[in-house]
Amino acid sequence: MPEKKQRIVLPFHKDIDTLDAQGLENLGLYRGMECIHGHSIRNMQDKWCYHCAHRISVNSCGFDVNYIDSEYKIRFLEFLKHVEIKGADECWPCDIKTKRFTFPSYRSESSAAFSENFGVAKIMYTAAWGDIGALRLTRKKGVCTIDNCVNPLHWECILNLDVPPKTIHPLVFELDFAKIKHYGILKQQKKVEDYRLAQFKKHIIHPSLLIEK
Ligand SMILES: [Zn+2]
Ligand SMILES: [Zn+2]
């Protein structure tokens, strides 16, 4: 019999970004270090990002490097040089022998160090799915043909649905200044997640077509 996952019941609030510290605390949340996708509300116990957790719970997997937060972008681009990106159903080899790479983390909230030594699979997972804080990432059973695989569909945590999506979308590596600027505007307007959810539902439209003149 397949083992049952212990599910986390995610708190939900329609206007979560407008809540004050007390309102967040009532839901077991707090405002902490920004995640790779520019969100800042986290779970008090396990530090996972509220908005990322909801993305994972709707089976949304993918990233566009231009919409990755500036604190993380350079480090992530450096990381990508070590990964061979292949098809969604193939293993993605990472050539970092130690399988560790320093990357910004929520731990810097309570320590002087800005970066943490991350497992390489968790870095790709964090970019493609979201920031799961201290939750454990495990390899999905029977999918990998190599040990050093970082394909985000080959890894899971308790927030993931049992059946992963068939594709990783978006999957964009080319830097595009118009998109970086667009991300900055979205962040200022606190609309990063609204935009991302809308994109999840349809194909990416170039942001120059979206920005209101
Ligand atoms: Zn997040
Ligand atoms: Zn794999």
Side-chain angles (χ1 to χ4, degrees):
M1 228 175 89
E3 53 184 286
K4 270 261 170 276
K5 275 194 232 167
Q6 185 73 39
R7 293 267 177 226
I8 291 178
V9 178
L10 292 178
F12 176 77
H13 193 288
K14 175 164 77 63
D15 299 311
I16 192 85
D17 291 306
T18 64
L19 291 186
D20 62 9
Q22 188 57 55
L24 289 174
E25 194 181 328
N26 293 342
L27 296 167
L29 304 167
Y30 72 104
R31 209 164 255 114
M33 165 149 166
E34 280 188 353
C35 81
I36 190 167
H37 301 295
H39 317 125
S40 58
I41 295 170
R42 291 180 182 268
N43 168 264
M44 291 171 116
Q45 190 187 328
D46 292 318
K47 317 294 181 188
W48 42 261
C49 166
Y50 171 91
H51 286 296
C52 285
H54 277 281
R55 289 185 74 204
I56 296 169
S57 75
V58 296
N59 233 3
S60 164
C61 178
F63 63 83
D64 178 332
V65 287
N66 300 292
Y67 291 86
I68 277 178
D69 211 60
S70 56
E71 299 280 7
Y72 296 81
K73 196 180 274 127
I74 290 170
R75 200 68 192 137
F76 185 62
L77 290 170
E78 188 60 37
F79 172 72
L80 284 178
K81 291 179 188 166
H82 296 277
V83 179
E84 193 184 337
I85 309 283
K86 296 186 159 195
D89 57 352
E90 293 176 280
C91 284
W92 297 7
C94 172
D95 70 9
I96 300 171
K97 294 247 172 339
T98 56
K99 299 206 186 83
R100 315 287 300 175
F101 191 77
T102 52
F103 207 66
S105 122
Y106 73 89
R107 284 187 211 278
S108 64
E109 287 171 4
S110 55
S111 86
F114 180 66
S115 295
E116 179 191 354
N117 208 1
F118 260 69
V120 289
K122 196 162 184 179
I123 294 177
M124 187 61 85
Y125 183 96
T126 303
W129 288 100
D131 186 334
I132 59 169
L135 292 179
R136 221 164 78 87
L137 194 64
T138 54
R139 194 190 296 264
K140 281 181 88 76
K141 285 203 177 72
V143 288
C144 285
T145 54
I146 56 168
D147 185 50
N148 56 341
C149 171
V150 296
N151 180 338
L153 296 184
H154 288 184
W155 293 82
E156 64 183 348
C157 76
I158 50 174
L159 295 168
N160 283 100
L161 304 179
D162 288 332
V163 179
K166 292 234 174 346
T167 58
I168 299 172
H169 180 84
L171 194 54
V172 179
F173 307 103
E174 299 79 40
L175 287 178
D176 180 328
F177 191 70
K179 286 183 177 178
I180 293 174
K181 193 171 156 200
H182 180 228
Y183 175 78
I185 294 167
L186 289 173
K187 206 172 155 188
Q188 234 171 23
Q189 297 174 338
K190 297 197 185 338
K191 287 188 176 157
V192 171
E193 206 43 37
D194 293 349
Y195 175 75
R196 207 169 262 126
L197 277 173
Q199 293 309 302
F200 174 55
K201 288 171 189 158
K202 59 180 173 40
H203 280 290
I204 287 276
I205 297 172
H206 197 275
S208 60
L209 302 171
L210 293 170
I211 298 171
E212 284 170 27
K213 298 270 166 19

